[in-house]
Amino acid sequence: MKGRAALMAAVLAAVAAPAYAQDAVQFMVGAWECRLPDQAGSRTPPILYIGAAKSGGEVRSDLVEVDGFARAVSGMARVGTADGGWTQVTPDAGPPFYVRPEAGRAAMDVKRSADGAAYRCLRLPYPKS
């Protein structure tokens, strides 16, 4: 029974993967509070903002607007794939960084370099108007 459940989970993940890849940019859009795993709580954690870029009323899957890590990354950014399930985000200002959303959760990992430590980022609530 265990093997059957694992097989079913693998099949469902494979079927959902293309849809998840298409929605990766839409998932990243928002404001995120990021902390390194071993970092003690602070009053001013790094914040990362990712905004949607639109063309003809459609959200683009290759471009986002970014501002984060005390403006260490900012401007329009190209979005592409990277090794290990990461998405590479290359901003106009600042070095490329890497994002890996967690499916089914309002959380993602962010690395400031390909071999750097991963920040754990949680989506901040959107203020109601």
Side-chain angles (χ1 to χ4, degrees):
M1 193 61 143
K2 252 189 201 179
R4 211 169 172 193
L7 177 61
M8 182 60 90
V11 168
L12 289 174
V15 169
Y20 179 71
Q22 292 171 351
D23 294 336
V25 167
Q26 290 178 342
F27 177 87
M28 290 189 292
V29 170
W32 300 86
E33 178 181 278
C34 302
R35 296 181 190 271
L36 289 170
D38 59 347
Q39 188 179 44
S42 74
R43 293 176 50 176
T44 56
I47 302 295
L48 174 63
Y49 167 78
I50 300 176
K54 294 185 178 182
S55 177
E58 299 285 324
V59 174
R60 292 183 59 169
S61 63
D62 64 332
L63 197 65
V64 292
E65 181 181 359
V66 298
D67 186 9
F69 298 100
R71 302 215 35 103
V73 295
S74 62
M76 297 307 287
R78 291 177 307 285
V79 177
T81 58
D83 292 338
W86 292 89
T87 298
Q88 182 173 335
V89 181
T90 307
D92 288 339
F97 61 95
Y98 302 84
V99 175
R100 184 172 57 194
E102 287 187 24
R105 301 191 63 199
M108 66 181 182
D109 294 327
V110 174
K111 294 192 303 183
R112 305 260 322 261
S113 66
D115 58 352
Y119 285 83
R120 173 87 168 135
C121 300
L122 301 175
R123 185 185 309 275
L124 294 171
Y126 188 77
K128 295 181 181 180
S129 51

